[in-house]
Amino acid sequence: MLSPPNPAPLGAALLAAFAVAGFPRTGSADPPPDADAEARAVLTTSCLKCHGPARQKGGLRLDSKDGALAKADSGSPAVVPGRAKDSELIRRVTETDKTLRMPPGDAPLTAAQIDALQRWIDRGAAWPQGAPAAKSAKTELTVTDEDRNHWAFRPLTKVEPPAGAGSPIDRFHRAALAAKGLAPNPPADPRTLIRRVTFDLTGLPPTPDEVEAFARDPAVEKLVDRLLASPAYGERWGRHWLDVARYADSGGYEGDVDRPTAYHYRDFVIRALNDDLPFDEFVRRQLAGDEIAPDDPRAVAATGFLAVGPSPELPVRLLEEERTRQRYIDLDDVVSTTGSALLGLSLACARCHDHKFDPLPARDYYRVMAAFHAGDREQVPLGTRAEVAANQRARGQWEAQKKAADGRLADWLDGQKKQLGPVVRAAKVGRLSIPDADKTTLRDMPESAAAKALAKTHEKALAATDADWRAAMDDAGRKRWDALAAEVTTVKRREPKALPTALAYRDAGAKTTPTWLFGRGDFHDKSTPVGLGFVTVLSRGKEPADYLAAARAAGDRADTTYQRRALAAWVTDADRGAGPLLARVIVNRIWQHHFGEGLVRTPNDFGTRGDRPSHPELLEWLAADLAANGWKLKRLHRMILLSAAYRQGAAFDPAKARVDPDNRLLWRVRPRRMEAEALRDAMLAVSGTLNPEMYGPAFKPPIPADAMVARNLKNPYPKDVADGPAVWRRSVYLFHKRVIPYPLFQAFDAPDAQQCSGKRTVTTVAPQALALLNDPFVRARAGDFAARLERDAGADPARGVERAYLLAFGRPPTDGERGAGVEFLAQREHARAGRDDARRQALTDYCQVLFGLNEFIYVD
């Protein structure tokens, strides 16, 4: 697969045969002798590359009559002789949607070429008799050098920035603008810039004091360095990565079982980003932390990346077929997320067949899956191997002691009960309110049918309690019982403290699990075994066996396959593996979160159907720079934030918009709405109620009962959560229950964590306004904001408005805004005349209005 045969000789033979039969050679000066030959020339020059002997995308071959008339993967034949209008071929070459039109790319067939195809099909789609026979059956996709030449799949190359002053980023940026006769916007003012940088790096608004200090001394480098060192940086950028990792605190599906230990993975992400762990190591630990650093609890927890995807809790009684089906659904989630999150590839599209558009054979999908096949999600102890082993030994010893103590007590009690049973029974019978004859039957003939019937009727009254047994014993017996019970209690108190556990991923042992290439994704098809392998188009000269041998040589565990470590090494190998694509993908993700849109607008799809980069040389330079400088993300942030491109203003210019209406060349900074989590955190921050507690178990915020419509949950959401400091932590720590989304987040487009989310949808819909008006959290924080204003500004409404603007927007109000605010407060207080809290409620109304303004919701 790494060295595919060259298909050129077969293609040349086809061309020669077609030419003999009246099929013109490409580039021939002679006109085609007839429409049939012209049509077949179109097929040869425009279609056989993807639908010929070397590959059959979509299950279609057009190098033979049988192949052209056979049904493709779509279920329709490409050619229906005599009926061009019913032929899929004609529908696809005339399609107006570029994503569906054939051939792919920006150059559609000409009208004359389409007309030739239509006339050929309507005339019966005759095929030259001299053409060589070709099978209509689909063959496995062959990866070619042309496939490897796709811009995203190439090795990293050194790119020289254009000549000029400024940083490399700015030189690339200005050159792209100048080519279209454009220039960047003027720089943003200091108040705008500090708000932008602070939200971008921490997800929180700057304080009024920070804004004023920066306005006096706009030292951007000092600002960026301070914010990159803030713990809030990891919380902010950890949330971005958790979108990509489809993180949630429950399993989803109908039962939506809580996962109370999933948070260890979230904490790993936040700590790793704050520590500036090199990104390649960040990736390796998420794929194989337990195999790379088994004595580091954080590395073990990092494999939660593979474990936190949606998956149901299966019942004990379940058909094995259903259990197997769910197993491969889970593995598909892992393979799909790995491909999308790390490499920007839709690997899941190769599960049932070769990828329709990208050079991703189905074999590659299953070879990657083999890396995960021997493992599964588990509750894994967090500790060094020595600590885990010591804890297991101590627990084993304790369990043996407890079993012995329990056994001694149970054996002694059994003997006492056999000895004292008749006495206790007689006493219990004597206390029954039944005829004496029945008492005699119970006491003297216990095995008779009548006695058994009476015993069943009075079963509850006849049941002996500990008090009954103790009453029947003498003092020595009672002392012995107490001594044996005390021994049990003493042993129980010595129970070793269990190590904390994390939802993580680990192999079942050193033995690999057999993996097969399932035909059309059918897990019953085990005819084609496959071993560990990687994505062919991204591999250059180093075999999977080499990576696996190196992984095993570097490790010292005998209870894991090391296949995931081999995969991790390949993914991060910038020379002979997928490292170049990994670098391009993460650079693009970071650029996207700073500019609102990536250099590539399809962050999860860098394949042939994905968007091409707006600034290809800049993307290549940044990716190569990242890999060459230790994969340090904070360094990359710093370069971007200190660039003039980032620091320019957001003002709209109609003249520039006519040249570049989508702002792809970045002649201005796009106004960006806060994500749902940043919006909630900003409300907590300006109201003075944000709880800065980091890490640990997720908190469940109050959710109105009418928003909890899910049924059959294994762990129902609590209905009595109190609003208070415990639930005023940052939103990254909020318990994400997949089936019961937090209403405010749902309104503001938070992802559902069902799959890797590289780019959030940003909608503007009426429910968002309704949420800001009616959500209990928003109203409560508005009340806290009002209380803060009363503390800071006293009873003077003008001072209150001034302080509110400084806290919410980082600027003082204009005279008009101050006057409107004072008037609003007076009106709302008058409307509540006679109430003790009229002023507080009026101020709360005003604060809630500020929460709903675009200036609060948008960063710029």
Side-chain angles (χ1 to χ4, degrees):
M1 207 44 144
L2 289 174
S3 301
N6 188 350
L10 181 54
L14 283 167
L15 283 172
F18 286 160
V20 170
F23 200 120
R25 295 179 183 273
T26 302
S28 172
D30 296 328
D34 57 51
D36 291 356
E38 185 181 358
R40 292 192 297 274
V42 175
L43 295 180
T44 301
T45 57
S46 301
C47 304
L48 290 189
K49 172 185 169 184
C50 298
H51 305 288
R55 62 179 60 192
Q56 301 84 42
K57 289 188 175 182
L60 172 64
R61 290 189 72 157
L62 292 174
D63 58 329
S64 73
K65 184 176 182 178
D66 291 343
L69 303 186
K71 288 184 178 180
D73 289 351
S74 65
S76 302
V79 174
V80 181
R83 303 206 308 269
K85 62 181 179 62
D86 295 329
S87 298
E88 183 72 11
L89 175 63
I90 300 302
R91 282 196 290 269
R92 297 303 291 273
V93 298
T94 57
E95 174 64 57
T96 57
D97 186 342
K98 289 175 61 175
T99 64
L100 300 175
R101 187 182 63 215
M102 291 293 159
D106 296 326
L109 297 184
T110 66
Q113 289 173 314
I114 294 172
D115 179 65
L117 290 174
Q118 290 174 324
R119 287 187 288 114
W120 171 61
I121 295 174
D122 283 336
R123 289 171 53 176
W127 210 264
Q129 294 185 3
K135 296 179 180 179
S136 61
K138 184 177 184 294
T139 61
E140 187 170 317
L141 176 67
T142 301
V143 176
T144 67
D145 289 342
E146 185 175 355
D147 293 326
R148 299 177 192 277
N149 198 41
H150 175 61
W151 68 266
F153 302 157
R154 300 171 190 159
L156 289 173
T157 56
K158 185 177 181 180
V159 181
E160 290 297 331
S167 71
I169 291 177
D170 291 326
R171 285 145 65 188
F172 283 115
H173 176 233
R174 288 197 306 268
L177 286 172
K180 294 292 185 180
L182 299 173
N185 265 2
D189 66 86
R191 292 179 183 275
T192 298
L193 186 59
I194 187 176
R195 178 176 167 86
R196 181 191 301 169
V197 175
T198 306
F199 266 112
D200 271 7
L201 288 182
T202 70
L204 296 170
T207 67
D209 290 344
E210 290 169 345
V211 173
E212 292 305 318
F214 188 74
R216 290 191 301 269
D217 177 19
V220 182
E221 290 190 22
K222 289 170 56 178
L223 171 66
V224 170
D225 289 343
R226 174 175 65 81
L227 295 174
L228 285 173
S230 166
Y233 160 78
E235 294 171 322
R236 168 63 161 170
W237 284 82
R239 181 61 262 173
H240 292 325
W241 185 255
L242 294 177
D243 279 7
V244 173
R246 83 290 187 222
Y247 173 84
D249 297 284
S250 66
Y253 289 81
E254 185 179 23
D256 199 28
V257 176
D258 286 358
R259 293 171 169 173
T261 64
Y263 73 88
H264 290 288
Y265 170 68
R266 174 249 290 154
D267 287 354
F268 157 78
V269 171
I270 295 172
R271 286 191 172 100
L273 293 174
N274 274 333
D275 293 344
D276 204 15
L277 183 70
F279 184 72
D280 58 342
E281 185 63 22
F282 179 69
V283 168
R284 284 192 288 267
R285 295 204 170 201
Q286 291 178 84
L287 293 174
D290 60 319
E291 295 182 332
I292 294 170
D295 289 326
D296 183 350
R298 294 184 186 179
V300 173
T303 62
F305 173 78
L306 305 173
V308 297
S311 181
E313 184 177 83
L314 300 180
V316 176
R317 293 185 177 181
L318 186 68
L319 291 175
E320 188 60 31
E321 181 174 0
E322 293 303 314
R323 197 175 297 278
T324 302
R325 177 176 287 107
Q326 185 58 50
R327 168 64 171 159
Y328 285 108
I329 290 174
D330 290 348
L331 285 170
D332 179 68
D333 165 73
V334 173
V335 174
S336 173
T337 301
T338 300
S340 297
L342 305 181
L343 303 177
L345 292 178
S346 50
L347 275 179
C349 293
R351 179 184 182 186
C352 301
H353 47 69
D354 295 338
H355 200 289
K356 297 291 187 183
F357 306 110
D358 294 336
L360 301 174
R363 183 177 296 273
D364 282 3
Y365 171 92
Y366 288 99
R367 295 198 309 163
V368 171
M369 190 182 77
F372 307 111
H373 209 177
D376 205 348
R377 59 171 60 85
E378 291 185 22
Q379 291 296 329
V380 180
L382 295 179
T384 67
R385 284 173 291 176
E387 290 170 342
V388 172
N391 186 264
Q392 290 173 341
R393 285 194 301 271
R395 190 160 193 86
Q397 294 169 358
W398 173 81
E399 287 175 349
Q401 294 169 1
K402 180 175 179 297
K403 182 178 180 180
D406 286 340
R408 286 190 290 272
L409 175 59
D411 291 346
W412 183 83
L413 282 176
D414 286 345
Q416 291 295 302
K417 288 177 180 180
K418 287 179 182 178
Q419 178 182 344
L420 300 175
V423 176
V424 171
R425 183 180 178 85
K428 299 290 285 187
V429 169
R431 290 195 289 272
L432 290 176
S433 298
I434 58 176
D436 290 343
D438 289 344
K439 290 183 179 181
T440 300
T441 299
L442 282 169
R443 186 170 50 247
D444 299 338
M445 297 177 289
E447 299 302 320
S448 67
K452 290 180 179 179
L454 285 168
K456 186 173 183 180
T457 301
H458 302 286
E459 182 177 10
K460 187 174 181 180
L462 291 172
T465 64
D466 285 353
D468 295 326
W469 294 112
R470 292 183 70 85
M473 293 177 185
D474 56 18
D475 287 342
R478 285 188 286 271
K479 288 181 179 179
R480 180 60 176 162
W481 189 347
D482 291 342
L484 290 171
E487 182 183 351
V488 170
T489 300
T490 299
V491 172
K492 285 182 177 180
R493 287 174 180 164
R494 292 202 299 263
E495 179 180 2
K497 184 178 180 181
L499 290 173
T501 62
L503 180 68
Y505 205 90
R506 69 175 173 185
D507 289 359
K511 186 178 180 180
T512 60
T513 300
T515 304
W516 299 271
L517 194 167
F518 295 147
R520 302 191 70 81
D522 181 3
F523 61 81
H524 296 99
D525 179 3
K526 298 181 178 179
S527 59
T528 308
V530 297
L532 174 69
F534 311 130
V535 179
T536 302
V537 76
L538 300 178
S539 300
R540 288 176 291 276
K542 188 173 181 179
E543 297 294 329
D546 298 330
Y547 286 100
L548 183 57
R552 288 173 171 166
D556 62 353
R557 291 181 58 183
D559 59 348
T560 191
T561 66
Y562 282 103
Q563 293 187 115
R564 286 181 289 112
R565 183 169 184 171
L567 174 66
W570 172 80
V571 167
T572 56
D573 186 347
D575 296 320
R576 290 178 289 182
L581 182 54
L582 176 72
R584 293 179 183 115
V585 169
I586 189 57
V587 162
N588 189 65
R589 293 195 191 282
I590 288 176
W591 188 276
Q592 171 186 302
H593 289 301
H594 283 310
F595 286 90
E597 195 169 76
L599 296 169
V600 177
R601 288 181 291 186
T602 52
N604 281 6
D605 187 1
F606 274 48
T608 58
R609 286 290 175 137
D611 189 49
R612 292 188 65 84
S614 58
H615 300 70
E617 295 85 2
L618 172 57
L619 177 60
E620 192 69 9
W621 187 89
L622 288 170
D625 182 82
L626 176 69
N629 288 279
W631 297 82
K632 291 288 191 174
L633 295 187
K634 287 189 177 182
R635 180 179 179 278
L636 176 59
H637 284 295
R638 197 172 188 275
M639 282 196 302
I640 292 174
L641 295 178
L642 295 181
S643 70
Y646 175 83
R647 291 184 284 118
Q648 64 183 323
F652 182 77
D653 186 324
K656 293 178 181 178
R658 283 193 291 271
V659 178
D660 180 20
D662 291 335
N663 192 32
R664 291 294 288 137
L665 300 178
L666 297 174
W667 49 267
R668 70 165 179 152
V669 167
R670 295 177 183 86
R672 285 172 291 142
R673 198 186 70 198
M674 296 182 201
E675 301 95 334
E677 295 87 347
L679 178 60
R680 177 182 177 274
D681 292 351
M683 292 179 184
L684 286 165
V686 301
S687 65
T689 55
L690 180 64
N691 179 354
E693 179 187 350
M694 297 182 70
Y695 308 122
F699 68 90
K700 291 184 176 179
I703 293 181
D706 56 2
M708 292 186 278
V709 296
R711 299 291 184 269
N712 303 319
L713 297 182
K714 294 285 186 180
N715 305 108
Y717 200 90
K719 298 181 179 180
D720 57 351
V721 179
D723 186 44
V727 298
W728 295 345
R729 299 170 65 198
R730 291 203 64 175
S731 299
V732 71
Y733 303 112
L734 184 146
F735 194 100
H736 185 156
K737 195 163 178 65
R738 282 186 163 101
V739 173
I740 302 180
Y742 186 54
L744 187 64
F745 288 3
Q746 189 176 31
F748 282 92
D749 307 313
D752 59 11
Q754 298 299 327
Q755 59 187 354
C756 170
S757 175
K759 185 178 182 180
R760 294 191 179 191
T761 301
V762 180
T763 63
T764 302
V765 293
Q768 292 164 352
L770 295 174
L772 293 173
L773 285 171
N774 300 308
D775 190 281
F777 172 84
V778 177
R779 183 64 184 181
R781 299 296 75 75
D784 293 332
F785 192 7
R788 180 179 188 179
L789 295 179
E790 287 183 333
R791 293 193 301 271
D792 292 354
D796 184 347
R799 287 185 59 202
V801 170
E802 179 92 12
R803 184 62 175 165
Y805 265 71
L806 291 173
L807 287 167
F809 309 132
R811 67 172 180 86
T814 64
D815 291 341
E817 289 166 338
R818 186 181 293 102
V822 171
E823 182 179 355
F824 177 90
L825 289 171
Q827 290 176 348
R828 299 306 296 167
E829 186 171 357
H830 178 73
R832 293 184 174 89
R835 289 178 49 171
D836 293 340
D837 63 347
R839 185 177 182 283
R840 167 65 67 83
Q841 290 302 316
L843 197 53
T844 300
D845 290 346
Y846 182 67
C847 292
Q848 191 168 359
V849 168
L850 297 185
F851 283 163
L853 294 181
N854 278 349
E855 190 173 355
F856 185 82
I857 298 172
Y858 281 76
V859 175
D860 275 282

